[in-house]
Amino acid sequence: MKRVAMLCMGLVMGAASAAEAQLTMQMSNGWSFTFGGNVNAFLVYEKPDADGTSGGTPGGIVGASGEGATRIRTGLLPAFAVFDAKGKEGNTDLGVHFGFAPQIQCGAVGGAVQHDCFGAQIDMRQVYLTVGGTWGQILAGRELGLFGRQNILTDQTLFGVGATGGQFSGGTTLGRIGFGYIYPQFKAQMTYSTAAGRPFQLSIGLFDPASNGPYTQIELPRLEAEGVYSAGNTKFWFGGLVQNNSTGGVADESATSYGGTGGIRFGSSTFSLTASGYYGSGLGTTLLYTLGNGVGGTIGDDLRTSMGGIGQLTFTPSNSKMTLAGSWGISILESSDSEADFKTKNWLASGGLYYQATKSLKAVAEFNYAVTGDDSDLTDDNTSIAPAFGLMLFF
C-alpha cells in the first residue's frame, strides 16, 4: 500500500527513500496513521519552431507557434499530500488511502494565463481501501491503472518535465505521455494482487469502463492485468487490457479494444538500462481511449492502431549524489481501415541531471526536444525545445 511517489522513487534511478521523513502516528487501537508526499516546482522555458506544418492528423501534440514562453509550474509528478491509515484485525490487514495531487500554476482562460487563479488545480487522484493477508490483497477504489503502469514509473521524466503538453497548461506536464506510452490514468477499480515480497507479483483488476466513441455503451467492465518479476539487478514486466463497447440503438454494433505492454530494466547502483513498449487496437494515444476510433466508423470493428516505446540509460558515478539520464521515446497512431491513411508520430529526446542534495531534496536540470510528424512528404515536422530547472522535496 505504498504511495505513488514512494513507489516511483523505488523504481527510478535508486533515489533516496522519503519514508524516513514521513509523519507516522501509532494509535492505541493498533492502527497507524501516516502523512507524507512531495512538493515540486520547475522553471520551464518552451519554444516551438515556427516552420512546422505537421499536426493536422489526429494525435499530434507539438504545435508550431514560434512563440517562446516561460512558466513556473509542476512537473510530470504532481505535488502529493498522502494520508494512510492501516490496521490489523485478526489475520486481516486493512487500510485506507487518500492522495491529493495539486499543481502550483494557473492555467489559461481565453488564451491568457491568469494572474490570480484563486487556487491551482487540486486533483483527488487516489481514494481506495485495501484488504489483505497471506493470500494477497484486494484494492477497491481510485488508483493508477495497471496497463502501462510500469512504463511510466520507470521513466526518468517522472522526476522532471519532459514534454510540457502546452505552454499554458494548468495541470502537470506530459513527461513522456504520448511520447512513448499511453497514460494509464487514475481509475475506479477492484484489483487483486498476489502477496508482496516475492520475486513475481501478479495483479488483475476490473475497471470502470470508458466510452470509446462512437462505441459509447459500457455494459461490461474493462479487464486489466500486470505481472512484475524482480530478481537481483533485473526486473521485467508485462501486461494487457481488453474492453468491449457497443453503439446501442437499432444497429447495436460492438467493438473490442485490446492492448499489450511490457518492459525490462537491468541495472546496479551505478547504471541502469530500461526499455519498454506497447501495442494496441482502439486504445488511442496520449490518454487512454482518446482518438481510438476512426471518424464515422460506426459499423464494425473500426479501430485505430497504437504503438510505441522508450529506451533509457542512467549513470550514477560511484559515491556520487548526481545521476545522469538520457532517453528517447515515440508514440505512433495509425489510421483505421475506413479512413484515409495517416501515421502520426510524437517523439521526445530527453536528457537530465538529477542531484540528490539531501535525503529528501532533489535538484533537477533537464533538456527536452519534442517532435510531431507524419509520413507525408508535404509537411515539415513540428519541433519544440524545453529546458527546465526545478526542486523536488519528498517528505
Side-chain angles (χ1 to χ4, degrees), residues 15 52 131 155 158 174 255 309 340:
V131 180
D155 174 19
L158 188 63
L174 285 178

Side-chain angles (χ1 to χ4, degrees), residues 328-351:
W328 185 88
I330 188 170
S331 286
I332 299 172
L333 181 68
E334 293 185 349
S335 56
S336 66
D337 291 340
S338 68
E339 298 178 288
D341 289 343
F342 71 82
K343 181 183 288 187
T344 304
K345 301 177 180 179
N346 295 303
W347 64 263
L348 173 72
S350 181

Side-chain angles (χ1 to χ4, degrees), residues 62-293:
V62 180
S65 68
E67 301 294 334
T70 299
R71 301 296 310 278
I72 298 176
R73 59 178 303 169
T74 300
L76 170 56
L77 182 68
F80 258 107
V82 177
F83 301 86
D84 277 312
K86 302 178 184 178
K88 190 178 183 70
E89 298 181 354
N91 293 323
T92 304
D93 298 317
L94 302 172
V96 293
H97 180 108
F98 294 87
F100 298 85
Q103 291 88 51
I104 66 171
Q105 79 278 10
C106 300
V109 177
V113 175
Q114 303 301 294
H115 177 68
D116 295 309
C117 55
F118 304 103
Q121 175 181 335
I122 298 178
D123 186 353
M124 186 67 183
R125 293 203 176 194
Q126 298 170 301
V127 52
Y128 61 79
L129 63 87
T130 57
V131 180
T134 57
W135 47 269
Q137 177 183 268
I138 294 174
L139 181 152
R142 177 180 170 88
E143 172 61 311
L144 190 65
L146 298 178
F147 181 77
R149 177 172 66 174
Q150 298 300 323
N151 299 33
I152 187 172
L153 294 180
T154 53
D155 174 19
Q156 73 172 77
T157 67
L158 188 63
F159 292 112
V161 172
T164 67
Q167 297 167 322
F168 308 114
S169 168
T172 67
T173 62
L174 285 178
R176 208 175 289 280
I177 297 169
F179 293 85
Y181 47 74
I182 299 175
Y183 185 43
Q185 304 192 52
F186 288 79
K187 291 295 185 181
Q189 59 186 277
M190 291 185 175
T191 296
Y192 167 75
S193 298
T194 58
R198 301 173 183 175
F200 179 74
Q201 185 173 44
L202 177 66
S203 299
I204 184 168
L206 299 177
F207 284 72
D208 192 27
S211 295
N212 200 12
Y215 306 98
T216 56
Q217 300 302 304
I218 48 174
E219 185 175 359
L220 299 173
R222 180 169 70 256
L223 179 67
E224 296 189 19
E226 175 193 74
V228 181
Y229 178 82
S230 299
N233 294 329
T234 302
K235 172 180 180 176
F236 69 84
W237 60 93
F238 60 88
L241 67 74
V242 62
Q243 175 180 288
N244 180 265
N245 295 64
S246 65
T247 60
V250 177
D252 196 24
E253 298 289 341
S254 66
T256 299
S257 56
Y258 61 87
T261 185
I264 186 170
R265 182 182 186 274
F266 177 79
S268 66
S269 60
T270 57
F271 85 98
S272 70
L273 180 63
T274 306
S276 63
Y278 70 94
Y279 179 88
S281 177
L283 304 185
T285 190
T286 308
L287 305 179
L288 193 60
Y289 291 110
T290 300
L291 303 175
N293 294 321

